[in-house]
Amino acid sequence: MRFIYYCLFCLFIISCNTDKTITVRDKLQKEDQSFFIDTSSDTIITGKEGTKVFIEKGSFRNASGDIITDSVIITMQEFYKNSDIIASNLNMRSGDKLLETGGMIELRAYADGDQLNLRNGKSMVVHFPKKEAKNDSMRLFYGQESYSGEGEDDLVANGEVNWALEESSIPKKKINIHPWYIKYNGIDESHLYLFNGTIWYDTLPNIFNFNSQEIDYFLNKTVKVHYDVKKNGNMIYDKINGSLISNKMAKRLEKVVRKFPKCKPYTIAGNPIEMPGWFQIWTEITPPKFMNNQAYLKQIETKFNNPDSTTSAVSLAELQYYIFDSKQLGWMNCDQFINPNPVTTDFVVQVPKSENVFAKIIFKNYKTIMIGNEDPEFFTFEDLPVGEPVSVIVIDQEDENVLFKIEETEISDKIYKITDLQKGSLKGLKEALDYLN
């Protein structure tokens, strides 16, 4: 008898699950891609939409801090199309700044049923395919997640994830001011010292005091500022030469040299001499970590080697991908900041009253997708740029039918009302969404 009751209970549970309505939101969700890797060797995994991730051997640890030395399951979801990004239910915002996405992924790692993290000091190399023409300002952002006490990912579920910039994805620019001088035989001290005894290497950055725009100016340029150090320690300006130097910058550098602090003169056997020399000035970009990762370079050579090209494998990869070092698993977004109208307002969309209806907006000029705070019949999109052209998308369902409408408008403080959603197919909805922008 107990067995019969147990069977009836199981049938009841199954029937309840079967009767559960599958919503349009559910149908838009992407399935995980799974990769089974051996952590004892370096690996590159490739997603169905082209994302590549280099994982160095021994990169993972469990919650107890133990290093994983055997097999690991990697799960990945890729979001490049509008229809997929909408399904992710995430806003494109970092703090109070809006983002334009070049694609995003969710990457997780598991072993023995436990979710893993990267070990301290380890990083992956993530390649986002350049599906559209973008500039070089794309950066890597992490989705900052928060969990409820029951283990549900509330922020991701409600689109309230905040994207945090990975600082290492910003190219580091370093200004070099290198002093060159003609050394005579028997010179007592090869370095030049200021009169107060400070070696000039330590004070040159403060003396020239280049701002960020000037540091950018010296990219791909080399400038020489010639001078003479007299027997009394005074520095006398001579001339400037170099590649593509403007008159404005030449005057800026000349002014610095003419007001250079008094120096200790060069000496031979203790006797002051005159010494000609020059400052050589240029800006270099510090290469990202992956450029010096020999394990990664070896792997990428096998993927992008072209015997008919003199271009390096990494350079070929950079033509096709945005490449970043990632220090953590989870949500990753390839984004750039956008600078629309700084005047903002809350944009309210009124929708037909329905249990499963939802609304999103897509900017016309950027691949920026936003979700709103939901109240009955209203979706509020907070702090959006006034006058920005957008497409408003409202999606619902009627039994098994997909209902949706897409209208173009501009952000304003007036309530925007959408009615009379049209019947369509899931395929038709996705095609309409992916056609936008």
Side-chain angles (χ1 to χ4, degrees):
M1 182 63 68
R2 288 183 178 179
F3 177 74
I4 294 174
Y5 284 137
Y6 174 76
C7 291
L8 290 173
F9 175 76
C10 291
L11 288 171
F12 173 76
I13 294 297
I14 292 172
S15 65
C16 288
N17 290 335
T18 303
D19 292 340
K20 181 182 177 181
T21 302
I22 300 176
T23 66
V24 177
R25 293 179 193 247
D26 297 329
K27 294 176 181 178
L28 285 172
Q29 294 294 323
K30 301 197 72 174
E31 293 184 358
D32 281 341
Q33 303 172 53
S34 297
F35 306 85
F36 191 75
I37 69 168
D38 181 358
T39 60
S40 64
S41 60
D42 302 325
T43 305
I44 291 182
I45 62 173
T46 302
K48 294 178 180 178
E49 296 187 43
T51 311
K52 293 184 183 294
V53 182
F54 168 77
I55 303 170
E56 194 171 355
K57 63 181 180 182
S59 290
F60 298 109
R61 63 172 178 83
N62 60 22
S64 300
D66 301 323
I67 299 171
I68 305 301
T69 58
D70 48 13
S71 299
V72 165
I73 295 175
I74 305 292
T75 64
M76 180 197 291
Q77 285 192 349
E78 299 170 282
F79 304 86
Y80 291 97
K81 300 175 182 177
N82 289 337
S83 56
D84 295 334
I85 297 172
I86 282 177
S88 75
N89 209 38
L90 299 181
N91 271 323
M92 298 296 101
R93 195 189 292 272
S94 178
D96 59 353
K97 296 181 180 179
L98 294 177
L99 301 171
E100 178 179 26
T101 185
M104 59 186 184
I105 64 172
E106 185 183 13
L107 198 70
R108 308 284 180 183
Y110 301 89
D112 298 325
D114 296 326
Q115 188 166 322
L116 308 178
N117 293 306
L118 288 178
R119 293 169 54 194
N120 291 338
K122 291 289 186 179
S123 61
M124 303 173 296
V125 186
V126 183
H127 305 65
F128 292 90
K130 295 180 178 179
K131 293 183 178 288
E132 298 177 6
K134 301 290 181 184
N135 57 36
D136 293 331
S137 60
M138 285 294 181
R139 304 288 178 256
L140 179 65
F141 290 76
Y142 300 126
Q144 294 180 322
E145 304 170 26
S146 177
Y147 299 89
S148 71
E150 297 180 357
E152 293 294 331
D153 188 348
D154 291 332
L155 288 186
V156 171
N158 296 321
E160 298 173 2
V161 64
N162 180 58
W163 294 104
L165 176 64
E166 168 54 70
E167 293 293 338
S168 69
S169 68
I170 302 175
K172 298 299 186 294
K173 299 170 186 175
K174 178 186 177 184
I175 191 76
N176 290 285
I177 311 170
H178 195 90
W180 296 80
Y181 28 78
I182 300 170
K183 296 180 181 179
Y184 297 114
N185 292 331
I187 193 170
D188 296 329
E189 176 57 64
S190 60
H191 291 294
L192 180 66
Y193 289 84
L194 300 186
F195 200 76
N196 62 10
T198 303
I199 190 170
W200 63 351
Y201 277 117
D202 298 332
T203 193
L204 280 178
N206 292 330
I207 291 175
F208 280 89
N209 193 27
F210 291 119
N211 60 37
S212 58
Q213 289 78 19
E214 291 169 331
I215 291 173
D216 287 342
Y217 177 87
F218 288 107
L219 282 169
N220 304 315
K221 294 183 179 70
T222 300
V223 177
K224 293 181 180 179
V225 185
H226 296 262
Y227 57 82
D228 288 298
V229 178
K230 300 300 183 180
K231 292 181 180 180
N232 62 1
N234 289 335
M235 180 177 287
I236 305 300
Y237 169 77
D238 181 14
K239 62 182 179 180
I240 290 178
N241 58 27
S243 59
L244 306 174
I245 183 72
S246 68
N247 290 333
K248 181 179 179 180
M249 180 56 71
K251 290 179 180 179
R252 156 87 161 88
L253 298 176
E254 178 182 340
K255 184 178 180 180
V256 172
V257 175
R258 289 191 183 280
K259 293 186 176 182
F260 204 86
K262 191 170 184 178
C263 305
K264 289 185 176 182
Y266 289 99
T267 60
I268 294 179
N271 299 312
I273 62 170
E274 290 189 7
M275 175 74 82
W278 67 80
F279 297 114
Q280 186 161 320
I281 303 170
W282 74 99
T283 294
E284 66 180 359
I285 297 179
T286 304
K289 182 179 177 181
F290 66 80
M291 292 293 291
N292 295 313
N293 185 330
Q294 294 304 312
Y296 165 74
L297 296 176
K298 183 179 179 180
Q299 286 280 325
I300 213 69
E301 185 70 30
T302 64
K303 298 286 184 180
F304 291 92
N305 182 40
N306 184 351
D308 298 325
S309 174
T310 57
T311 306
S312 70
V314 172
S315 296
L316 290 173
E318 288 181 316
L319 292 174
Q320 303 174 46
Y321 295 88
Y322 301 109
I323 307 176
F324 305 108
D325 291 297
S326 176
K327 300 174 184 174
Q328 66 182 56
L329 295 158
W331 285 95
M332 287 170 263
N333 204 341
C334 174
D335 287 293
Q336 63 182 352
F337 288 110
I338 61 174
N339 297 294
N341 185 356
V343 179
T344 63
T345 189
D346 291 347
F347 180 56
V348 180
V349 177
Q350 185 176 358
V351 300
K353 187 175 182 180
S354 173
E355 180 181 356
N356 295 309
V357 68
F358 62 98
K360 306 288 178 78
I361 62 171
I362 301 179
F363 285 29
K364 295 290 291 182
N365 298 325
Y366 311 98
K367 201 175 183 69
T368 300
I369 298 176
M370 306 297 294
I371 70 171
N373 299 324
E374 183 176 356
D375 290 318
E377 298 184 63
F378 293 94
F379 284 80
T380 302
F381 302 83
E382 297 180 344
D383 297 325
L384 296 185
V386 173
E388 188 69 38
V390 295
S391 296
V392 179
I393 304 105
V394 177
I395 302 172
D396 197 3
Q397 64 189 77
E398 184 180 81
D399 298 327
E400 296 299 318
N401 296 313
V402 176
L403 306 177
F404 69 92
K405 181 174 276 190
I406 300 174
E407 293 186 2
E408 295 184 1
T409 186
E410 293 184 351
I411 299 297
S412 73
D413 58 1
K414 297 179 181 179
I415 294 177
Y416 190 82
K417 187 175 182 179
I418 287 188
T419 59
D420 303 324
L421 305 189
Q422 304 299 311
K423 288 184 180 181
S425 65
L426 187 66
K427 179 181 178 182
L429 170 61
K430 289 183 177 181
E431 289 176 350
L433 292 174
D434 295 336
Y435 180 76
L436 299 176
N437 292 122

